[in-house]
Amino acid sequence: MPEPSVGDIVHYVSYGTPGGEYGKECRAAVITAVVAGTDRGKDEHGVTTAPAVVSLAVLNPTGMFFNEQVAYEGSAEDGGTWHWRADD
């Protein structure tokens, strides 16, 4: 996984609604901060293994919202997380 940095465009996974009327959706987001002190390890091949925690500006069809302390998930399964775009 590349190191996240301010200005990177990523995907944020929305939570959806509790009743299931709306499902989880990937939304475009811009990293506004990388949380200092995030414990990020590397394996024997130099690949980053620990999740990155970032702050995001999330772009929704109806407006923007800002979210701090968002954990990296690596997939679109968990709402409230971020992952790299498929083409990155």
Side-chain angles (χ1 to χ4, degrees):
M1 176 175 91
E3 291 291 324
S5 62
V6 173
D8 286 344
I9 298 173
V10 297
H11 285 175
Y12 171 79
V13 182
S14 65
Y15 285 100
T17 55
E21 299 89 354
Y22 296 97
K24 298 172 188 166
E25 296 283 338
C26 284
R27 301 290 185 207
V30 179
I31 295 177
T32 59
V34 177
V35 176
T38 301
D39 184 21
R40 296 180 49 78
K42 295 191 182 285
D43 67 12
E44 66 275 6
H45 304 290
V47 176
T48 301
T49 59
V53 177
V54 299
S55 294
L56 298 173
V58 180
L59 310 173
N60 287 296
T62 56
M64 291 179 59
F65 80 93
F66 301 92
N67 199 345
E68 297 179 317
Q69 304 285 324
V70 181
Y72 175 79
E73 170 58 35
S75 70
E77 295 188 22
D78 290 334
T81 61
W82 73 273
H83 60 271
W84 293 103
R85 299 177 306 162
D87 59 346
D88 288 343

